[in-house]
Amino acid sequence: SLKQLPLTIIVAATPKNGIGKNGALPWPMLKKEMAYFTRVTKRVPMPTNTGSVQSDAWKQTNLEGTRRNVVIMGRKTWDSIPPKFQPLKDRTSIVISSQDPAKLEAVPDDVVVASDILSGLQSLGQKVREGKALPVGRAFVIGGAKIYQAAMELPQTTSVLLTRIHKDYECDTFFSETLDDASSGWRRKSLEDLRAFVGEDVPEGPLTEGEGSDETSYEFQLYERS
Ligand code: FOL
């Protein structure tokens, strides 16, 4: 059942764990950071991994077209995605809303709307069994604050892909978990573990994007439940 599927949180956050401001990201567009989000959430692990090395275990483009990753988001995060990118290409979207789905405007019918994460996964599982959705690869929780918080309370949520933004942008929305405390139940994994997890060669140390006062550095990290 899809309710047992491991869930990965993917999030970018400032040093104070800020993730949003006025319904959008707090920082000016970080093109390479967003490109990482897109690649990682699209990439489907190969079903068969018989004795293969790590580099064989992934395909950038899901050539067979047999499986799709799922992105789970809250309704406000759905609204924050530019209409031209809705729904996120090559991924199955689950949108969490406490509103009656019938009352939600302009949600395409290949998007699953549900009142919580697990019932969303259950509905998608039913569509897969009916042949109305592609089998699921990985599942990513992409925000926002309320949905991250709900995901952190599920034992299925075993990994957090964090992009630590090294600049203190003003924020009104925060990622509520402190991953770095020894008592948090989460442990930072090595760069090697991160590379294996995402299936690409993540650079060591901070990357820099932006010009002048928009210049920002950031770092890709992986945390797992310990
Ligand atoms: N995680 C990380 N690491 N970075 C993020 O920016 C991020 N953003 C969200 C969740 N987790 C994240 C939620 N916000 C799009 C827009 C907002 C958004 C997530 C995705 C979006 O439009 N994505 C398109 C590409 C857009 C582009 O290339 O400009 C996509 O296809 O993924």
Side-chain angles (χ1 to χ4, degrees):
S1 160
L2 280 188
K3 289 175 88 175
Q4 303 289 328
L5 191 70
L7 301 179
T8 297
I9 285 178
I10 185 164
V11 58
T14 69
K16 292 173 179 165
N17 276 347
I19 61 167
K21 176 75 195 297
N22 297 332
L25 296 173
W27 39 83
M29 179 63 167
L30 300 172
K31 282 199 175 65
K32 291 178 179 174
E33 205 293 313
M34 183 59 82
Y36 171 83
F37 168 90
T38 303
R39 287 193 309 275
V40 168
T41 55
K42 279 186 180 180
R43 190 175 290 118
V44 175
M46 297 301 285
T48 52
N49 192 18
T50 44
S52 70
V53 293
Q54 177 202 321
S55 59
D56 290 334
W58 299 89
K59 275 253 155 65
Q60 173 65 45
T61 46
N62 186 10
L63 285 172
E64 313 89 282
T66 50
R67 291 198 295 164
R68 274 185 161 206
N69 292 339
V70 49
V71 286
I72 303 166
M73 73 199 86
R75 193 269 305 162
K76 291 180 185 175
T77 294
W78 169 265
D79 286 343
S80 81
I81 295 171
K84 64 173 174 172
F85 295 122
Q86 279 179 346
L88 296 180
K89 195 183 151 197
D90 300 336
R91 289 147 285 179
T92 299
S93 290
I94 296 178
V95 174
I96 307 302
S97 171
S98 45
Q99 269 281 338
D100 185 337
K103 287 190 145 190
L104 279 186
E105 55 172 76
V107 175
D109 67 359
D110 56 346
V111 172
V112 172
V113 178
S115 60
D116 61 76
I117 294 169
L118 293 184
S119 59
L121 286 168
Q122 200 158 41
S123 299
L124 177 58
Q126 184 169 335
K127 288 186 71 176
V128 171
R129 286 189 301 275
E130 293 169 344
K132 292 173 177 168
L134 285 172
V136 172
R138 283 179 148 176
F140 293 93
V141 174
I142 71 163
K146 223 161 107 177
I147 303 307
Y148 286 141
Q149 202 165 354
M152 290 302 269
E153 288 172 10
L154 298 173
Q156 297 94 319
T157 302
T158 49
S159 310
V160 176
L161 286 169
L162 170 68
T163 302
R164 182 61 77 188
I165 309 284
H166 294 146
K167 196 171 168 180
D168 196 13
Y169 291 98
E170 187 177 322
C171 296
D172 61 17
T173 311
F174 295 82
F175 184 72
S176 59
E177 289 275 334
T178 314
L179 298 167
D180 277 312
D181 289 2
S183 62
S184 71
W186 292 86
R187 225 209 320 275
R188 172 122 184 238
K189 306 294 283 186
S190 68
L191 187 62
E192 173 181 71
D193 289 342
L194 171 58
R195 287 169 176 157
F197 190 92
V198 299
E200 66 177 53
D201 184 20
V202 179
E204 181 169 13
L207 299 182
T208 300
E209 282 194 76
E211 289 289 325
S213 67
D214 283 346
E215 193 169 280
T216 310
S217 74
Y218 56 85
E219 195 180 351
F220 299 124
Q221 303 179 351
L222 171 65
Y223 288 79
E224 285 186 353
R225 240 191 245 283
S226 52

